[in-house]
């Protein structure tokens, strides 16, 4: 060490950090550019002039094909329409299922998901969510004739639900010995109950009520008292798309402020609707 000329040591220690710094700056620059490109879906949507929104098409009254007009309509569709309008672009709806909606969002097949999707901590690891725009809870539907009045009576019995749903997971926690038959959509899960292949069906109360209403014999079915869980719905957004998430949240807050969000609720769940439900929530910042 002592033999080395002091200048050399000085030169090395100066040059090395400099080269490192340049390289680091280059890497940071590339990362920033890549990040910006990925996090600019809002700009892409605006340039494209259309937003692709994943929606359900067999879940009344959220997203379903209206008899006669054959148009896709529902609570979620009204929100999708309002979001597209708020972003100043056209709406393109893309049918998704409970199991496909998150992968399709991650792969960029859709820009947003408005599809009866609960904002859960587990899903937050995969995607981002908007503010809550609907609140419901999970319940259990049985045939009256079954005599089942309590979830505990489902021990060892078969219950239908949908693959990839919170409903499927929650019921396993509530009744650990239950056998869950997971279908790809809710009409199929309901058919299993109607045909006696399962003793109960479980998912969000609103979905169950709408299916019961559409059945040929609604009076044959009954909802068990009590909730399995609370299910706040959020709009799914790819992780890191903060500009898009902020823009969506701005539209949601505007809809609440103008009263349009309540109007959408009233259209599907108001006193004159087929499914009257109290609106016991508001779209609020931070929720
Ligand atoms: N809200 C529940 C969920 O996100 C059930 C409804 C659905 O499958 O979309 O899993």
């Amino acid at each position: 060490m002592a033999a080395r000329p002091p200048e050399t040591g000085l030169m090395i220690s100066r040059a090395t950090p400099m080269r490192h710094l340049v390289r680091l700056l280059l890497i940071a620059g590339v990362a920033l550019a890549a990040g910006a490109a990925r996090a600019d879906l809002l700009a892409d949507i605006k340039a494209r002039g259309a937003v692709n929104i994943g929606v359900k098409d067999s879940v009344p009254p959220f997203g379903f094909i209206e008899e006669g007009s054959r148009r896709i309509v529902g609570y979620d569709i009204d929100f999708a329409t309002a979001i597209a309008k708020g972003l100043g672009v056209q709406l393109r709806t893309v049918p998704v299922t409970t199991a496909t909606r998150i992968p399709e969002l991650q792969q960029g097949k859709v820009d947003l998901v408005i599809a009866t999707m609960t904002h859960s901590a587990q899903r937050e690891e995969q995607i981002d969510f908007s503010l809550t725009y609907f609140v419901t809870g999970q319940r259990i539907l049985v045939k009256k004739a079954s005599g089942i009045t309590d979830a505990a009576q489902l021990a060892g019995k078969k219950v239908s639900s949908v693959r990839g749903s919170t409903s499927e997971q929650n019921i396993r926690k509530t009744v650990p010995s239950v056998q869950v038959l997971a279908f790809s959509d809710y009409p199929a899960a309901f058919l299993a109950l109607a045909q006696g292949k399962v003793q109960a069906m479980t998912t969000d109360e609103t979905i169950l009520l709408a299916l019961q209403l559409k059945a040929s014999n609604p009076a044959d079915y009954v909802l068990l008292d009590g909730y399995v869980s609370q299910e706040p719905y959020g709009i799914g957004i790819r992780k890191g798309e903060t500009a898009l998430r902020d823009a969506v949240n701005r539209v949601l807050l505007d809809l609440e402020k103008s009263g349009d969000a309540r109007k959408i609720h009233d259209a599907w769940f108001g006193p004159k609707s087929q499914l009257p439900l109290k609106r016991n929530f508001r779209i609020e910042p931070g929720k």
Side-chain angles (χ1 to χ4, degrees):
M1 282 300 277
R4 194 187 287 168
E7 308 93 283
T8 318
L10 211 73
M11 265 188 63
I12 289 169
S13 61
R14 255 194 206 152
T16 309
M18 200 55 188
R19 235 181 289 135
H20 270 305
L21 194 68
V22 170
R23 202 181 310 147
L24 273 174
L25 279 172
L26 273 171
I27 291 168
V30 170
L32 250 164
R38 245 183 290 117
D40 212 9
L41 187 52
L42 176 62
D44 289 353
I45 291 166
K46 290 203 167 163
R48 204 196 291 146
V51 60
N52 301 318
I53 304 189
V55 296
K56 293 286 181 83
D57 66 0
S58 64
V59 185
F62 292 93
F64 64 104
I65 307 294
E66 190 179 51
E67 273 175 45
S69 78
R70 307 297 301 154
R71 276 181 35 226
I72 190 156
V73 295
Y75 182 92
D76 281 349
I77 310 303
D78 285 351
F79 271 90
T81 306
I83 298 281
K85 193 172 164 220
L87 299 180
V89 296
Q90 279 199 332
L91 168 66
R92 288 193 207 131
T93 57
V94 181
V96 292
T97 68
T98 293
T100 65
R101 62 193 168 189
I102 290 180
E104 295 212 7
L105 187 64
Q106 289 173 319
Q107 291 158 15
K109 289 188 181 151
V110 294
D111 303 312
L112 296 169
V113 168
I114 311 185
T116 67
M117 182 158 65
T118 298
H119 179 171
S120 72
Q122 201 184 353
R123 288 177 181 153
E124 248 180 39
E125 287 169 19
Q126 299 174 281
I127 58 167
D128 286 341
F129 284 91
S130 72
L131 299 172
T132 297
Y133 72 98
F134 187 75
V135 179
T136 182
Q138 181 176 342
R139 292 183 71 177
I140 298 167
L141 187 72
V142 296
K143 277 198 177 155
K144 245 183 219 163
S146 70
I148 297 169
T149 54
D150 191 87
Q153 287 171 268
L154 293 172
K157 298 213 166 72
K158 287 182 187 153
V159 174
S160 67
S161 195
V162 162
R163 209 170 298 129
S165 63
T166 49
S167 331
E168 178 195 7
Q169 293 185 359
N170 295 337
I171 194 69
R172 287 187 215 275
K173 279 184 227 145
T174 309
V175 190
S177 65
V178 82
Q179 199 185 327
V180 181
L181 263 61
F183 292 86
S184 61
D185 61 45
Y186 288 100
F190 183 77
L191 196 64
L193 175 64
Q195 293 177 340
K197 291 181 179 149
V198 294
Q199 283 76 49
M201 171 183 176
T202 187
T203 188
D204 302 340
E205 167 183 45
T206 30
I207 298 176
L208 292 174
L209 284 168
L211 286 165
Q212 180 186 6
L213 205 70
K214 272 188 57 185
S216 48
N217 43 354
D220 285 1
Y221 301 88
V222 64
L223 275 176
L224 299 188
D225 282 344
Y227 289 85
V228 176
S229 63
Q230 230 215 358
E231 304 287 320
Y233 289 2
I235 297 175
I237 304 157
R238 213 177 316 153
K239 254 197 186 303
E241 298 292 352
T242 45
L244 179 58
R245 195 192 56 199
D246 292 350
V248 166
N249 282 343
R250 236 176 286 126
V251 177
L252 288 177
L253 290 170
D254 284 350
L255 289 173
E256 184 65 53
K257 209 169 148 202
S258 67
D260 285 349
R262 181 172 286 279
K263 276 188 201 150
I264 296 175
H265 191 275
D266 270 4
W268 301 102
F269 304 108
K272 285 188 216 131
S273 74
Q274 285 190 306
L275 213 67
L277 284 175
K278 258 191 110 159
R279 189 176 192 251
N280 54 5
F281 68 92
R282 282 171 61 82
I283 302 171
E284 285 175 277
K287 277 204 181 169

